[in-house]
Amino acid sequence: MSEPEGVPGGASSPGDPRAAEVPSSASVPPVRRSRFDAAIDSIRQKIALQEGTLFLLLAVAIGLFSGLAVVCFRIAIEWTRVGLLGSALYPRTPRVFLVPAIAGLVLAILVVKFFPRVRGSGVTQTKSAVYIYDGFIPFQTVIGKFICCALAIGSGQSLGPEDPSLQMGAGIASLLGRKLKLSREKVRLIAPVGAAAGLAAAFNSPIAAVVFVIEEVIGTWSAGVLGAIVLAAVSSVVVSRWFLGSEPLFRTPAYSLVNPIELVSYAILGIAGGIVSLLFAKALSFVRPRLRAIGGTSQYWLPAAAGLVIGIAGIWIPQVMGAGYDYMDQAMHGQFVWQFLLILAIAKIIATTLSFSSGAPGGMFAPTLFIGAMLGAAVGGAEHILAPNSTGPVGAYALVGMGTLFAGFLRVPLTSVFMVLEVSGNYSIILPVIISNAIAYLISLRFQETPIFDLLSRQEGLDLPSMEELREGQALRVEDAMRPATVPVLSSTDSIAEAIERTQSKQDPNSPEEFFLVRFPTGRWAGVRVPALHKFAADGHAAAQLGDLLGSQRLPRLHLDQPADLAMRLMRDFPYLPVVSRADALRLEGVVSLADILSAYLRKPN
Amino acid sequence: MATSITNPSGPTPSTGWNLSREAMLLVTALALIVLFVFTGFMTRFYHQDERSLARQWSAKADVAMQSGNTKAAIEDYRTALIYSRGNGETSGASEIYELHLAEALAASNHFDEARAYFLTLAEREPGDATVNLELARLAARSGDVSEASRYYNSAIFGVWDRDPAAQRRAARIEYSKFLLEHDQLAEAQAQLIALAAALPSATRGDAALHVQAAQLLMESGATANALEEFQRALQLDRSSSDAARGVDLALQRLGRSRAGNTQ
């Protein structure tokens, strides 16, 4: 991936939009400093926070801001919905098809004229901020997301509020990081902190949000940022619960696994979830590029057209409109028959594909949960008909189904498990969740090569790093490059004369420097070259012990499971390094040289 | 450079003040306070709105329920329930709407869904006698004697909001009738003896309760206990013809006469 001009590592170019944000000390004219200024500076220095501390403090502030923003966002969505569609559970007929279409038109004007960056996935945009734009997210995007997504979701477009919440959090974090003049590295890291805060407040589940950001945005469990992410997520959830209460998103029914044979049903749900995830991903990958390719004035009428289709569908199945949390709750309580639940799942796939592909801003988390809940409840309902004695409630299947789609469609297996646990507050459900999610994930992995977030970013012309490739990719290890030690290993207790004798006829053909390993009884390893041995002997130390003459010299030792790139970093000018057992540091498993590692990289298929 | 269609020109800088870090921290803290207050007001209005909508829809549902339109009542209770969630109301309105919804569902033969709502309520308030009684009725309807017994017992010993003694008595009578219907005579006798022991004997009006208990005891085969209850009813109300007939019937079954018995 090529970097934009003036981005990481280099000085910003004159055309770089971020240049104006970077304070330039060189451009500050010299000022005569008074004693007062000196005193102020002295006080400032005393109270000045170190950047690490400031980063953590800022994480809390980001969490609080994001929590407040998400609370306002949720209220805005609800007021918009009640204002436009009315307060009834099922909107009345004239409104149901008129409102999404008219709102779609307004939405298109807002997006095209004022907030062009609010389209697309917030996750992708946050990742692009991290990997391309040094953590820069314009605050205009936050405002745009707030207004446009509230209008889109409130008017019935089949989209969810979590993804925009995530991006709003990231945008707030980016603004604070820039305004507080954090270093470039910290500003880049701060967007994921805000993303976790936004998502945590939207889902009311801090653990799932933290895991999601680690799993999908950052890709690694970096200690440097984990603390800040956790702090931000917890702060935002505290704020959200403070204002909106601590009730979970759903009223999950009581569940306990009575008969382990029921796990078979959950495995079937996993298979169904995997297939439906594929269907959803294929639909998006087929429809979105085609709608985007229409060009011309399509960006003005596509959201309205999508709204019209959803509105017409809403006359018969109003459940597909909006985020759909209320209907998920009803599905959990067995309101619908399994055939209707299947229809709802398929209708939601179509509605969400249309809404998202039309350019209407909003996220896919809630629709994914909706499809999963309906599918799960359908499988549960069918199971109750086929096996009337089964004890698992339909609600449990709906709950597991949500996680299954998360694992299969969004390809975030860990997040899916934690999310269901947090939403249900019931540990008994963990076995069904793990079984079902793992199956759906594996099916999706096998038949959908590109994960959905990577697919969306590629559709937008961005080549962002794939977190799944990062997770699943096999790193080259020391054991892949290692070879057996063919030369004798000297002991630190050997005399110089003995060492010379042992090395004379046994030299490693790969070691032109005639380098030999020296083993100390303490587990320490060192190395010595033949010319050095001869020099010791010439200096009259032929009877002296090798260990005494080597002093504190220490050779880095490696283990079989360590990554090959670590071996390369430790290699420095040593011809090769010892690979020793983790259980016994005296036991030499083999040796590895730079040439061994390079040839292993050439051998390894990627 | 890879360009984004959604982000064609790349990010643009935000223009703003160039304050020192300390000043910016202060501004951040102030902004936080302002936003906190603003959100507080917004949330307050939002909760008021939601509470008001919940009450409106619940009232509408009550009317529909009273007029026998359970379908409309269910939809309206569902709507009330949506607006009652997390709106800061501490009076347990949400649980009441949920209970009403479950009752309406049960009344319109949506037993599975009603059961799911009752179970959710029972999980939240395991000691709630009303919920347990409804669950017992659903289990009784499906013929599950052990589950019905469990819920009836939870209802009898649970927490009742109003007139707990009378409610417990009614629940025990209902349970006893259920047991008699399912030929669980020994358990029914045990329940009825416990019921009889707890019956009030203060006024003439209490005689009817003793007669009812005695009739059920007769049905369960505990004729001697039934006789005692009929006689207690007669002591409370000498004019009770049901009690008099019950005494005669019990004596007849026991092979005794009223005169002999009184001697």
Side-chain angles (χ1 to χ4, degrees):
Chain A
M1 182 185 72
S2 58
E3 288 176 345
E5 285 178 23
V7 194
S12 39
S13 66
D16 189 336
R18 287 153 294 182
E21 298 261 320
V22 183
S24 167
S25 56
S27 62
V28 177
V31 189
R32 188 177 290 169
R33 291 170 59 81
S34 66
R35 280 187 184 175
F36 177 75
D37 289 337
I40 292 288
D41 276 357
S42 162
I43 294 167
R44 227 184 228 180
Q45 278 167 12
K46 278 178 189 164
I47 60 165
L49 294 165
Q50 295 215 326
E51 186 154 89
T53 317
L54 179 67
F55 191 64
L56 290 177
L57 192 68
L58 194 56
V60 177
I62 288 166
L64 298 176
F65 272 113
S66 302
L68 292 168
V70 171
V71 168
C72 293
F73 182 50
R74 279 179 58 180
I75 292 173
I77 291 173
E78 190 56 23
W79 275 345
T80 310
R81 191 186 70 78
V82 172
L84 294 178
L85 293 169
S87 65
L89 184 61
Y90 301 112
R92 305 292 174 231
T93 302
R95 284 187 181 197
V96 79
F97 70 90
L98 285 178
V99 165
I102 295 167
L105 210 57
V106 176
L107 208 55
I109 294 166
L110 279 175
V111 170
V112 175
K113 295 284 180 198
F114 304 103
F115 307 109
R117 296 189 187 100
V118 302
R119 276 179 292 201
S121 157
V123 176
T124 303
Q125 287 169 12
T126 304
K127 273 172 78 176
S128 66
V130 175
Y131 295 103
I132 302 175
Y133 303 121
D134 278 351
F136 186 96
I137 297 173
F139 195 66
Q140 190 195 13
T141 306
V142 178
I143 296 166
K145 278 272 173 188
F146 189 102
I147 296 169
C148 297
C149 293
L151 180 59
I153 300 163
S155 67
Q157 292 276 2
S158 178
L159 297 162
E162 296 80 12
D163 188 280
S165 301
L166 177 148
Q167 203 187 355
M168 283 194 285
I172 290 168
S174 173
L175 177 77
L176 286 174
R178 292 192 318 267
K179 291 293 176 196
L180 285 165
K181 300 181 175 66
L182 292 187
S183 65
R184 181 182 290 234
E185 186 199 353
K186 293 288 185 197
V187 172
R188 195 183 295 142
L189 282 176
I190 214 157
V193 173
L199 191 61
F203 263 139
N204 198 7
S205 38
I207 302 174
V210 169
V211 176
F212 178 81
V213 168
I214 299 288
E215 206 169 23
E216 194 47 51
V217 181
I218 304 177
T220 53
W221 291 86
S222 157
V225 74
L226 187 61
I229 286 177
V230 170
L231 275 176
V234 170
S235 322
S236 71
V237 170
V238 167
V239 169
S240 162
R241 289 185 183 179
W242 175 290
F243 288 108
L244 296 178
S246 56
E247 275 196 52
L249 283 173
F250 314 103
R251 294 171 180 235
T252 56
Y255 171 74
S256 61
L257 184 66
V258 178
N259 190 346
I261 200 79
E262 278 186 33
L263 291 175
V264 175
S265 309
Y266 291 104
I268 293 167
L269 173 57
I271 295 169
I275 295 166
V276 170
S277 299
L278 283 176
L279 199 71
F280 192 13
K282 299 281 181 201
L284 264 173
S285 61
F286 181 82
V287 175
R288 194 165 180 245
R290 279 159 184 79
L291 290 188
R292 287 163 69 95
I294 294 174
T297 55
S298 67
Q299 52 184 341
Y300 284 99
W301 56 261
L302 270 178
L308 188 67
V309 173
I310 291 164
I312 290 169
I315 296 171
W316 295 281
I317 34 176
Q319 291 87 350
V320 297
M321 298 176 79
Y325 280 120
D326 301 326
Y327 306 111
M328 291 183 227
D329 196 89
Q330 288 168 24
M332 274 189 189
H333 290 88
Q335 192 201 335
F336 310 115
V337 293
W338 71 270
Q339 295 93 332
F340 186 61
L341 288 162
L342 271 185
I343 292 170
L344 284 182
I346 292 164
K348 192 72 176 176
I349 290 176
I350 297 167
T352 308
T353 304
L354 283 177
S355 279
F356 192 76
S357 303
S358 73
M364 286 189 301
F365 286 80
T368 306
L369 290 178
F370 183 98
I371 297 160
M374 299 305 147
L375 181 73
V379 171
E383 195 241 1
H384 277 262
I385 291 167
L386 295 172
N389 292 330
S390 60
T391 55
V394 169
Y397 283 90
L399 201 59
V400 174
M402 289 181 188
T404 306
L405 255 283
F406 240 66
F409 177 66
L410 300 179
R411 297 264 273 266
V412 280
L414 268 179
T415 308
S416 66
V417 173
F418 281 105
M419 192 208 60
V420 173
L421 285 185
E422 270 188 302
V423 165
S424 68
N426 186 344
Y427 188 77
S428 314
I429 207 151
I430 194 161
L431 264 185
V433 169
I434 288 176
I435 288 172
S436 184
N437 289 14
I439 293 172
Y441 180 67
L442 290 173
I443 290 174
S444 180
L445 205 62
R446 171 73 182 77
F447 297 103
Q448 170 76 25
E449 193 185 343
T450 314
I452 192 70
F453 288 120
D454 296 346
L455 190 83
L456 296 178
S457 63
R458 284 172 202 177
Q459 285 176 356
E460 289 172 14
L462 301 169
D463 193 2
L464 296 170
S466 165
M467 297 304 139
E468 189 170 275
E469 282 168 20
L470 210 68
R471 283 199 305 272
E472 307 293 332
Q474 290 178 349
L476 192 76
R477 303 199 175 278
V478 168
E479 64 184 341
D480 301 322
M482 184 190 79
R483 63 190 154 83
T486 51
V487 290
V489 175
L490 305 177
S491 167
S492 64
T493 55
D494 288 345
S495 68
I496 297 296
E498 285 169 340
I500 289 172
E501 190 189 332
R502 292 185 64 193
T503 59
Q504 259 173 356
S505 60
K506 297 177 177 174
Q507 289 178 7
D508 184 358
N510 288 332
S511 174
E513 285 84 12
E514 303 161 351
F515 184 77
F516 288 86
L517 296 173
V518 180
R519 175 167 40 206
F520 285 71
T522 53
R524 183 183 133 196
W525 288 80
V528 65
R529 292 169 203 274
V530 173
L533 288 174
H534 287 292
K535 188 168 183 304
F536 286 140
D539 290 349
H541 299 300
Q545 284 197 343
L546 187 56
D548 295 338
L549 294 174
L550 287 176
S552 60
Q553 192 222 73
R554 182 182 284 271
L555 202 59
R557 62 186 193 207
L558 297 165
H559 301 292
L560 293 170
D561 58 292
Q562 285 179 318
D565 71 311
L566 175 72
M568 282 164 82
R569 274 185 276 134
L570 294 174
M571 197 67 74
R572 294 199 289 269
D573 58 344
F574 303 115
Y576 54 83
L577 291 178
V579 181
V580 302
S581 160
R582 280 199 184 271
D584 178 7
L586 295 175
R587 198 170 86 217
L588 185 71
E589 305 276 7
V591 293
V592 66
S593 68
L594 204 56
D596 296 329
I597 296 169
L598 291 176
S599 63
Y601 269 117
L602 290 173
R603 280 198 311 271
K604 190 175 172 66
N606 197 9
Chain B
M1 175 192 156
T3 53
S4 160
I5 294 170
T6 57
N7 205 355
S9 57
T12 54
S14 62
T15 52
W17 332 295
N18 195 9
L19 298 174
S20 70
R21 183 178 275 182
E22 292 78 7
M24 199 58 220
L25 274 174
L26 193 67
V27 171
T28 305
L30 287 173
L32 201 54
I33 293 167
V34 170
L35 194 57
F36 228 93
V37 173
F38 173 75
T39 311
F41 277 114
M42 257 190 70
T43 317
R44 203 172 155 193
F45 291 131
Y46 170 68
H47 285 330
Q48 276 173 2
D49 259 12
E50 297 270 298
R51 277 197 292 266
S52 155
L53 283 171
R55 279 195 285 266
Q56 280 173 28
W57 284 103
S58 172
K60 204 168 163 236
D62 288 343
V63 171
M65 195 71 184
Q66 278 159 16
S67 63
N69 187 355
T70 49
K71 197 181 168 206
I74 289 169
E75 195 180 315
D76 294 345
Y77 278 132
R78 276 191 214 286
T79 315
L81 189 59
I82 288 167
Y83 292 113
S84 71
R85 271 184 210 162
N87 65 13
E89 203 156 39
T90 50
S91 62
S94 179
E95 280 72 24
I96 293 168
Y97 300 145
E98 201 166 355
L99 181 65
H100 286 172
L101 171 61
E103 284 169 346
L105 286 164
S108 60
N109 298 339
H110 291 92
F111 300 122
D112 285 343
E113 202 188 341
R115 188 170 178 276
Y117 277 106
F118 281 129
L119 281 174
T120 314
L121 284 164
E123 195 189 17
R124 228 172 296 145
E125 288 283 338
D128 189 311
T130 311
V131 172
N132 279 297
L133 184 62
E134 294 292 349
L135 281 166
R137 284 173 182 161
L138 289 174
R141 200 185 297 267
S142 64
D144 188 337
V145 177
S146 69
E147 191 167 286
S149 296
R150 185 160 61 88
Y151 285 124
Y152 270 124
N153 277 308
S154 299
I156 291 164
F157 297 106
V159 180
W160 293 94
D161 289 338
R162 282 170 296 155
D163 196 1
Q167 301 271 25
R168 280 198 184 94
R169 198 161 53 232
R172 210 186 273 277
I173 289 169
E174 190 178 322
Y175 180 33
S176 304
K177 285 180 180 170
F178 167 75
L179 290 168
L180 288 172
E181 278 170 22
H182 288 82
D183 292 328
Q184 307 282 316
L185 298 183
E187 179 58 24
Q189 281 176 11
Q191 289 297 329
L192 289 165
I193 289 165
L195 172 76
L199 286 178
S201 304
T203 63
R204 197 173 157 183
D206 295 333
L209 293 172
H210 287 275
V211 170
Q212 190 183 15
Q215 285 168 341
L216 290 170
L217 279 163
M218 282 284 279
E219 265 188 67
S220 73
T223 314
N225 298 88
L227 178 61
E228 276 178 35
E229 287 308 306
F230 280 129
Q231 286 171 336
R232 197 164 296 154
L234 262 183
Q235 282 167 6
L236 289 167
D237 183 4
R238 293 237 161 245
S239 62
S240 169
S241 57
D242 286 341
R245 266 200 307 276
V247 167
D248 288 340
L249 188 64
L251 286 173
Q252 193 184 343
R253 283 204 190 160
L254 291 168
R256 288 184 266 169
S257 67
R258 191 190 280 207
N261 192 51
T262 47
Q263 282 165 8

